[in-house]
Amino acid sequence: MALWQYTFIIVPEVDSHELSSVVEKEADGTQVINDHKLWEEKRVATRDFDSLQKILPTGKSWRENLHVYGELDSNCIQVTSENDLVDYMSARIDFRTEYENILAKIISFAEEKRLLILDERLHILPNNADKIKEVIEESPQVEKWGRLS
């Protein structure tokens, strides 16, 4: 991930209890999500996500089970799979770009596919572009980028 990107984790729609059951704390106190468990339970075929090409063009991948849409160092969506079933999904927003249209399409996709968008602190975000844009703009990355540029 580049300094100019904000990463969202995207998971199947679950209740907050089920989501908290897959969040773990590292020794340093950092929270990580074991989201492949959620995907495993939902059994979503990667072909069900082919419409991601309408949001961002298919990008270059270095692994067979990694599907990249967009550019890795800009706006991109990554989907990993095992046995043609999704087991991880994320979206990276390049806040140096006019990303609002891409963000709106990601939100629509999430609503259509009954997915949750999580911020980098693993909080569930509302399907509201203005609220999500606020999260991006208040991120440490934007602050650091502002100091460097």
Side-chain angles (χ1 to χ4, degrees):
M1 179 182 88
L3 174 61
W4 52 84
Q5 292 175 311
Y6 188 92
T7 302
F8 298 97
I9 304 297
I10 302 173
V11 298
E13 194 173 86
V14 294
D15 63 37
S16 57
H17 175 71
E18 192 171 358
L19 182 61
S20 65
S21 74
V22 296
V23 174
E24 302 165 358
K25 274 200 178 184
E26 298 278 302
D28 66 359
T30 306
Q31 288 187 320
V32 294
I33 187 167
N34 193 359
D35 57 324
H36 75 273
K37 289 181 181 179
L38 300 174
W39 288 108
E40 193 175 82
E41 290 174 17
K42 298 295 180 180
R43 303 191 52 79
V44 178
T46 53
R47 71 178 173 279
D48 293 344
F49 284 14
D50 286 348
S51 62
L52 288 170
Q53 295 174 58
K54 295 177 184 173
I55 299 173
L56 290 165
T58 303
K60 294 186 190 243
S61 175
W62 60 94
R63 292 190 336 238
E64 185 178 330
N65 69 334
L66 173 64
H67 309 271
V68 176
Y69 302 91
E71 299 290 327
L72 289 173
D73 63 349
S74 187
N75 295 303
C76 73
I77 300 168
Q78 293 180 305
V79 177
T80 61
S81 62
E82 186 154 329
N83 300 321
D84 294 320
L85 297 173
V86 175
D87 71 353
Y88 173 81
M89 182 176 183
S90 69
R92 293 185 197 168
I93 296 295
D94 180 345
F95 52 77
R96 303 170 306 164
T97 67
E98 298 290 328
Y99 62 83
E100 290 82 358
N101 187 40
I102 292 167
L103 180 58
K105 289 178 181 180
I106 291 170
I107 292 168
S108 292
F109 181 84
E111 288 174 331
E112 175 189 327
K113 300 294 185 179
R114 298 183 54 111
L115 304 172
L116 298 174
I117 300 173
L118 309 179
D119 67 12
E120 291 179 346
R121 294 177 301 155
L122 305 178
H123 295 135
I124 299 171
L125 296 173
N127 289 335
N128 178 298
D130 291 333
K131 297 283 186 195
I132 294 176
K133 186 175 178 182
E134 204 173 285
V135 168
I136 294 168
E137 290 174 353
E138 293 175 0
S139 70
Q141 295 95 308
V142 170
E143 180 185 332
K144 195 178 286 185
W145 183 255
R147 288 194 315 260
L148 292 174
S149 54

